[in-house]
């Protein structure tokens, strides 16, 4: 059994347990509104995702990640975690343990057909665009250093499990109560002092 070291909250955490769906058009419209308001994110990048040119789109986002994280594992590590289908769609993206401390706004354009893995990094917050990314199954943000979440997070929809356990969240934005998950919502081992109701979580809420 593997146990991670003490995290930034000063706690020692033990081990936790670690479908293809149609993406909602409303999420796509929300992303386009965000793109219109955010200069750094180009319409052309969203068009690449729309056109199943996911390899090129993911490469652009990976470049933006590298710019935001000059000390990360490198572009090769970011690219190695990508798995593509024969039709060019990004099936999954494994960014576990890449030394990430920040995500660019362009990350909100990402679309994966199954899992997006961001666990075991050093993220302290997420970009406002994050709620508009599209995942087909699970989203893991376990064992980061998240202190805050953007207010826009309430628009996030995850068909499978959403894992935010083993972070440093002392409070949640009011909009977080609106998060949709088709599976579990995992918030264990955060120093949270209050808990909202989660009417849109279909699975278990782990506190």
């Amino acid at each position: 059994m593997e146990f991670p070291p003490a995290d930034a909250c000063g706690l020692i955490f033990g081990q936790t347990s670690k479908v293809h769906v149609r993406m909602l058009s409303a999420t796509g419209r929300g992303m386009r509104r965000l793109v219109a308001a955010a200069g750094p994110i180009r319409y052309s990048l969203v068009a690449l995702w729309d056109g199943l040119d996911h390899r090129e789109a993911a490469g652009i986002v990976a470049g933006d990640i590298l710019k935001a994280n000059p000390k990360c594992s490198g572009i090769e590590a970011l690219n190695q975690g990508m798995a593509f289908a024969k039709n060019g769609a990004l099936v999954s993206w494994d960014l576990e343990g890449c030394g990430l401390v920040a995500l660019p706004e362009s990350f909100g354009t990402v679309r994966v057909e199954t899992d997006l893995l961001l666990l075991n990094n050093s993220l302290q917050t997420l970009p406002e665009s994050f709620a508009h990314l599209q995942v087909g199954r699970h989203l893991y943000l376990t064992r980061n250093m998240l202190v805050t979440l953007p207010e826009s997070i309430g628009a996030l929809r995850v068909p499978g499990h959403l894992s935010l356990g083993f972070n440093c969240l002392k409070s949640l934005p009011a909009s977080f109560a609106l998060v949709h998950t088709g599976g579990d919502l995992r918030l264990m081992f955060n120093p949270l002092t209050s808990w909202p109701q989660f009417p849109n979580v279909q699975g278990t809420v782990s506190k």
Side-chain angles (χ1 to χ4, degrees):
M1 180 178 296
E2 180 181 357
F3 292 91
D7 81 328
C9 301
L11 300 174
I12 297 178
F13 295 142
Q15 185 181 29
T16 57
S17 59
K18 275 224 179 326
V19 27
H20 181 159
V21 300
R22 185 182 301 276
M23 301 303 180
L24 298 177
S25 61
T27 304
R29 289 195 296 271
M31 190 65 241
R32 287 176 178 80
R33 287 195 294 269
L34 184 67
V35 168
I41 305 178
R42 299 182 299 277
Y43 278 107
S44 58
L45 180 54
V46 175
L48 289 174
W49 293 109
D50 284 344
L52 283 180
D53 294 320
H54 288 188
R55 192 177 296 274
E56 183 176 354
I60 293 172
V61 174
D64 290 344
I65 293 173
L66 191 61
K67 291 176 185 177
N69 299 272
K71 295 183 179 180
C72 82
S73 303
I75 194 68
E76 295 83 5
L78 302 182
N79 290 337
Q80 283 178 353
M82 302 176 190
F84 293 93
K86 290 183 179 179
N87 67 354
L90 180 59
V91 176
S92 62
W93 197 353
D94 185 354
L95 291 165
E96 178 177 359
C98 286
L100 306 182
V101 298
L103 296 174
E105 285 294 332
S106 61
F107 200 82
T109 66
V110 168
R111 302 179 190 180
V112 296
E113 292 194 338
T114 59
D115 301 337
L116 178 58
L117 308 178
L118 286 159
L119 61 163
N120 291 321
N121 282 291
S122 299
L123 300 171
Q124 295 185 37
T125 190
L126 302 172
E128 284 292 331
S129 65
F130 191 84
H132 296 284
L133 63 83
Q134 298 178 20
V135 297
R137 192 165 59 185
H138 307 312
L139 173 56
Y140 288 99
L141 285 151
T142 317
R143 296 192 184 101
N144 274 274
M145 299 165 62
L146 291 171
V147 177
T148 62
L149 298 174
E151 188 62 39
S152 60
I153 198 70
L156 183 64
R157 292 176 176 266
V158 179
H161 304 318
L162 171 58
S163 182
L164 285 157
F166 301 92
N167 277 285
C168 300
L169 296 168
K170 294 183 178 179
S171 63
L172 299 170
S175 67
F176 191 75
L178 302 177
V179 164
H180 285 72
T181 72
D184 298 342
L185 173 59
R186 299 170 180 170
L187 289 164
M188 59 281 193
F189 291 100
N190 280 283
L192 291 166
T193 56
S194 62
W195 298 86
Q197 297 297 313
F198 296 104
N200 301 321
V201 171
Q202 302 304 308
T204 301
V205 178
S206 300
K207 301 180 180 180

